[in-house]
Amino acid sequence: VYRVSEWGFNWLLGRYEAGLKWVLRHQGFMLVVAALTMVATVWLYMKIPKGFFPQQDTGVMMGVTEASQDISFEAMAKLQNQVAAIVMADPAVATLGSFMGSSQGNSTMNNGRMFITLKPLKERKVHADVVIARLRAKLAHVEGINLFLQPVQDIRVGGRMGKGQYQYALQTADLKELNHWATTLVARLQKSPELKDVTSDQQTRGLQANVVIDRDAAARLGVSPALIDNTLYDAFGQRQVSTIYQRYNQHHVVMEVNPEFLEDPKALEKIFVKSSTGRQVPLASVARFETGNTSLSVNHQGQFPAITLSFNLAPGVSLGEAKPVIEQAVRDIRMPGTVTGSFQGTAQVFQSSLATLPLLLAAALIAVYVVLGMLYESLIHPITIISTLPSAGLGALLALELTGFDLSLVSFIGVILLMGIVKKNGIMMVDFALDAERQEGLTPEDAIYKACVIRFRPIMMTTMAALLGVVPLAIGMGEGSELRRPLGIAVVGGLILSQVLTLYTTPVVYLMFEHLRRRFKLLRHRGVGEVAVVPAV
């Protein structure tokens, strides 16, 4: 094994020496290649879709059910069970937990929640997104209720829960205006193919029955508004009228009408009020009943009424591509300036992080430049080493583009990691070349050539060690591996391309800066000499 590997390395070293000699004879061509690499890196960074965290398949999904806002508890339970039965019948579902009614996370009675555990990936053989699309098609035929599904992620930021993974909030001081524009925007976004499961937490279609008292008739019959109020509270308010005490327990006695009278507002016509004279007066004789709509809940954000729009992404669409779609929809409906919109939750964190990523990259480059400048006591050769980084960035972006991944926060971590791995190629060459010039008196051409040939083995060794180390991440086996794959793919692509380019571009860039340094030094010495020969007056 040793003899075979050593023969392979010597053959590779021979090919590299031949290529290096050609490159040193055509330095202008390689400088153009280095410049084009930088341009291509910037262009591809602007073009590639950008996301936040990769969509994982952890084997767990969360669902939110939503029915008509005027639905009763019994009807909601029936629909919830119907949806649960359809979900459990799917071959990919293992277990299901179903909840409904007002609770933490559910502010109204017409909402429910489901927590779904999928079978292991090797058994179901389909991704969670495929299961969601399949269930979405089956549940489209169930009338009166909708189910919004999303896979549970290992990393979730933003702190705001919704019916979808991402949220966009509208707010204004005028509740009527807010309801109008939220409805308009939801209808507009539902037509966008990039978005799925677009909905909102707007709850304005609840039913209410108003009891309008005829005060003249009530006064004639001896019925006061307070008596009407107490009678209605006794019937529908679940008033506690007594407590039964036992030895080890106590029981609260609650008075209310029979449950069948709670299902229809017409039960108000059967209510009698005891007048001041002791007679039972029908409520319908002293009041009329008006039905209308009311808000089941009004959410607030920053002390102002707010409506949150939730959405998921269509397959193959990144969050960076969905963001301009929503902003364009807001412009298309010509929403007034009094209504403000902003991304919330995960989408808000993504928006802020997208603006700071270039600053993070710039800070890393400045830190690298300062450290290398102190190490080599030079202002120009740290730039020689940094010139290796664009090829790493280009390789990472190309690998992500070819494999269909976004430039997410995880893959950007891979790019930062690449900066540390790739620049060691330049450090090994430049460090050896500078030492050869200072200690052995070699010319820059001889010094960099010797550095490239001698340092070829440790450069290949460290690159292959890093490359083989991240291959398992790039392959991505196991549940939840979608979170790690972009990092591995970015590092693999960056290492392969940078290894090919930096072995040839670094010596050329080194020689260019070395020639510029010597020319500047010569001009400076020449200027000092001219000043020295000026005769004194």
Side-chain angles (χ1 to χ4, degrees), residues 429-442 447 510:
M429 296 180 186
V430 172
D431 181 76
F432 190 96
L434 289 176
D435 185 73
E437 285 189 52
R438 296 167 182 172
Q439 302 298 328
E440 302 179 24
L442 298 179
Y510 175 86

Side-chain angles (χ1 to χ4, degrees), residues 82-94 96 119 134-135 138:
Q82 186 177 354
V83 171
I86 294 176
V87 173
M88 277 300 301
D90 191 275
V93 175
L96 179 144
K119 295 177 181 178
R134 189 165 62 199
L135 290 174
K138 294 178 181 178

Side-chain angles (χ1 to χ4, degrees), residues 51-61 127-130 132 136 149-156 164-166 197 311-319 346 404-406 408 410 479-486:
F52 191 46
F53 281 108
Q55 185 84 350
Q56 282 183 280
D57 180 2
T58 59
V60 180
M61 298 191 303
H127 197 271
D129 290 337
V130 178
I132 291 176
R136 187 185 292 128
L149 290 170
Q150 55 179 300
V152 175
Q153 304 295 294
D154 286 340
I155 300 177
R156 183 181 178 89
Q165 282 192 296
Y166 309 104
D197 302 328
F311 62 94
N312 293 321
L313 302 178
V317 177
S318 67
L319 186 55
T346 303
F405 282 91
D406 308 332
S408 61
V410 174
E479 293 185 359
S481 61
E482 297 88 353
L483 184 65
R484 305 181 294 271
R485 283 196 67 194

Side-chain angles (χ1 to χ4, degrees), residues 112-184:
R113 288 191 178 274
M114 291 185 178
F115 294 93
I116 304 165
T117 302
L118 301 178
K119 295 177 181 178
L121 188 59
K122 61 182 179 180
E123 294 183 22
R124 52 186 160 99
K125 298 179 181 179
V126 291
H127 197 271
D129 290 337
V130 178
V131 178
I132 291 176
R134 189 165 62 199
L135 290 174
R136 187 185 292 128
K138 294 178 181 178
L139 295 169
H141 304 290
V142 181
E143 296 183 358
I145 191 170
N146 293 316
L147 176 62
F148 304 95
L149 290 170
Q150 55 179 300
V152 175
Q153 304 295 294
D154 286 340
I155 300 177
R156 183 181 178 89
V157 297
R160 177 171 294 197
M161 299 295 293
K163 300 168 188 174
Q165 282 192 296
Y166 309 104
Q167 295 85 37
Y168 184 83
L170 298 178
Q171 63 180 137
T172 184
D174 189 343
L175 183 59
K176 183 178 180 180
E177 186 180 34
L178 178 64
N179 288 327
H180 168 72
W181 289 108
T183 304
T184 305

Side-chain angles (χ1 to χ4, degrees), residues 77-391:
K78 182 179 179 181
L79 291 176
Q80 183 87 355
N81 291 333
Q82 186 177 354
V83 171
I86 294 176
V87 173
M88 277 300 301
D90 191 275
V93 175
T95 61
L96 179 144
S98 177
F99 311 87
M100 56 169 286
S102 299
S103 62
Q104 184 178 4
N106 286 342
S107 59
T108 56
M109 188 65 68
N110 65 319
N111 286 123
R113 288 191 178 274
M114 291 185 178
F115 294 93
I116 304 165
T117 302
L118 301 178
K119 295 177 181 178
L121 188 59
K122 61 182 179 180
E123 294 183 22
R124 52 186 160 99
K125 298 179 181 179
V126 291
H127 197 271
D129 290 337
V130 178
V131 178
I132 291 176
R134 189 165 62 199
L135 290 174
R136 187 185 292 128
K138 294 178 181 178
L139 295 169
H141 304 290
V142 181
E143 296 183 358
I145 191 170
N146 293 316
L147 176 62
F148 304 95
L149 290 170
Q150 55 179 300
V152 175
Q153 304 295 294
D154 286 340
I155 300 177
R156 183 181 178 89
V157 297
R160 177 171 294 197
M161 299 295 293
K163 300 168 188 174
Q165 282 192 296
Y166 309 104
Q167 295 85 37
Y168 184 83
L170 298 178
Q171 63 180 137
T172 184
D174 189 343
L175 183 59
K176 183 178 180 180
E177 186 180 34
L178 178 64
N179 288 327
H180 168 72
W181 289 108
T183 304
T184 305
L185 183 57
V186 168
R188 172 65 177 80
L189 293 178
Q190 286 176 342
K191 300 177 182 178
S192 301
E194 296 86 357
L195 308 179
K196 294 293 183 182
D197 302 328
V198 179
T199 184
S200 71
D201 61 358
Q202 186 179 19
Q203 301 278 0
T204 60
R205 303 297 298 174
L207 290 180
Q208 70 175 4
N210 298 322
V211 179
V212 183
I213 301 174
D214 186 345
R215 294 183 179 271
D216 294 336
R220 287 195 306 269
L221 297 174
V223 177
S224 66
L227 287 173
I228 297 176
D229 183 69
N230 287 332
T231 302
L232 292 175
Y233 189 75
D234 289 339
F236 306 108
Q238 296 184 344
R239 185 194 298 275
Q240 180 182 341
V241 296
S242 180
T243 303
I244 299 175
Y245 296 96
Q246 294 181 333
R247 184 175 181 180
Y248 298 110
N249 206 346
Q250 60 183 13
H251 305 276
H252 301 293
V253 179
V254 177
M255 183 172 63
E256 64 176 4
V257 298
N258 289 331
E260 61 264 23
F261 296 108
L262 298 174
E263 298 179 357
D264 196 332
K266 291 182 179 180
L268 293 171
E269 299 176 357
K270 302 178 182 180
I271 298 294
F272 286 78
V273 182
K274 187 176 182 179
S275 67
S276 58
T277 61
R279 290 191 305 163
Q280 296 290 335
V281 179
L283 180 61
S285 63
V286 295
R288 69 180 188 273
F289 313 118
E290 298 177 351
T291 58
N293 294 111
T294 185
S295 297
L296 296 182
S297 65
V298 179
N299 297 316
H300 288 74
Q301 177 177 298
Q303 299 183 351
F304 287 99
I307 293 178
T308 301
L309 281 64
S310 301
F311 62 94
N312 293 321
L313 302 178
V317 177
S318 67
L319 186 55
E321 294 172 322
K323 177 175 172 289
V325 170
I326 297 175
E327 294 172 344
Q328 183 61 43
V330 172
R331 290 190 293 268
D332 289 344
I333 65 176
R334 301 182 182 275
M335 197 164 60
T338 54
V339 182
T340 59
S342 61
F343 289 94
Q344 298 296 324
T346 303
Q348 182 187 32
V349 179
F350 163 74
Q351 189 177 28
S352 59
S353 66
L354 190 64
T356 56
L357 285 181
L359 298 178
L360 176 64
L361 184 60
L365 291 176
I366 292 174
V368 169
Y369 178 82
V370 171
V371 172
L372 293 177
M374 291 187 297
L375 179 63
Y376 295 117
E377 298 179 355
S378 173
L379 296 176
I380 59 172
H381 286 308
I383 302 178
T384 304
I385 297 173
I386 292 177
S387 68
T388 61
L389 301 182
S391 61

Side-chain angles (χ1 to χ4, degrees), residues 31-45:
L31 289 175
V32 171
V33 171
L36 291 177
T37 301
M38 296 180 63
V39 173
T41 302
V42 175
W43 175 80
L44 194 56
Y45 175 80

